[in-house]
Amino acid sequence: MSVAFRRESDEEHKEPKFEIPMVPGPNLVTPRGLALIEAKVAELEGAIALETQEEPREALRRELRYWNTRRTTAEIAPSPEDGVAGIGTRVRIRLAGKERVLEIVGHDEAEPAADRLSFQAPLAKALIRLEEGERADFNGRPDAIEILAVESLFSASNR
């Protein structure tokens, strides 16, 4: 029989489902970031248990594999020295004449709209290892950033 008359299954025409890509580099997290990952794993496990349809369940399992890997590879970032910007710090800066307060966190905890930046973000990279009073080049401009204050997120009052 000619191939033109053969009915192929719908499965043959579906796009393959690839795993969710991992961010390259170390998976450094704050204690809050690790707790968020743990909560996401628990949420997905609960959703999988409740899902009755195979396709949505498989999508949830795919996402769970991502978050289980993130949990397994998570490393609590070492607390930076007092007054030094790093992962787990809140940094008050002056950039382009405006003051901003940013938190430097792990990738999965980052929320740029809430001024929580991944330590891998360009602005966070410019701040890491700087102290109050120092300036940093940014976006091709010398001394574009002034560090006004650095506070640890690791202290008991900020967890």
Side-chain angles (χ1 to χ4, degrees):
M1 179 182 337
S2 170
V3 175
F5 295 104
R6 193 179 109 219
R7 177 173 165 85
E8 297 177 12
S9 75
D10 290 339
E11 292 296 316
E12 292 179 32
H13 298 289
K14 287 186 176 180
E15 289 290 322
K17 299 286 186 206
F18 298 103
E19 293 302 311
I20 299 170
M22 295 290 160
V23 176
N27 183 15
L28 299 174
V29 299
T30 64
R32 177 182 180 271
L34 183 58
L36 290 172
I37 291 170
E38 295 282 354
K40 188 66 176 178
V41 167
E43 172 191 327
L44 288 166
E45 288 173 341
I48 289 168
L50 296 174
E51 184 56 59
T52 59
Q53 306 221 347
E54 188 55 35
E55 195 168 321
R57 188 178 319 143
E58 189 50 44
L60 290 168
R61 285 185 188 126
R62 177 178 177 254
E63 192 174 351
L64 180 60
R65 287 190 298 272
Y66 171 86
W67 288 105
N68 272 328
T69 301
R70 296 302 286 175
R71 178 175 60 178
T72 301
T73 60
E75 299 174 44
I76 299 286
S79 182
E81 294 177 38
D82 284 343
V84 178
I87 300 170
T89 58
R90 182 176 294 120
V91 185
R92 190 165 51 94
I93 64 170
R94 183 173 294 120
L95 174 64
K98 296 180 182 173
E99 282 191 27
R100 286 180 70 184
V101 177
L102 307 167
E103 292 181 5
I104 303 173
V105 296
H107 175 75
D108 297 314
E109 188 179 358
E111 283 183 71
D115 286 330
R116 271 195 286 290
L117 302 180
S118 164
F119 68 94
Q120 296 171 325
L123 181 54
K125 285 182 176 181
L127 300 175
I128 290 176
R129 289 186 289 285
L130 296 180
E131 299 178 39
E132 184 177 325
E134 288 190 290
R135 293 182 170 271
D137 300 344
F138 184 67
N139 225 11
R141 294 182 22 229
D143 293 338
I145 303 170
E146 179 184 3
I147 309 298
L148 302 174
V150 178
E151 173 189 358
S152 175
L153 298 173
F154 287 97
S155 67
S157 63
N158 291 320
R159 284 194 182 166

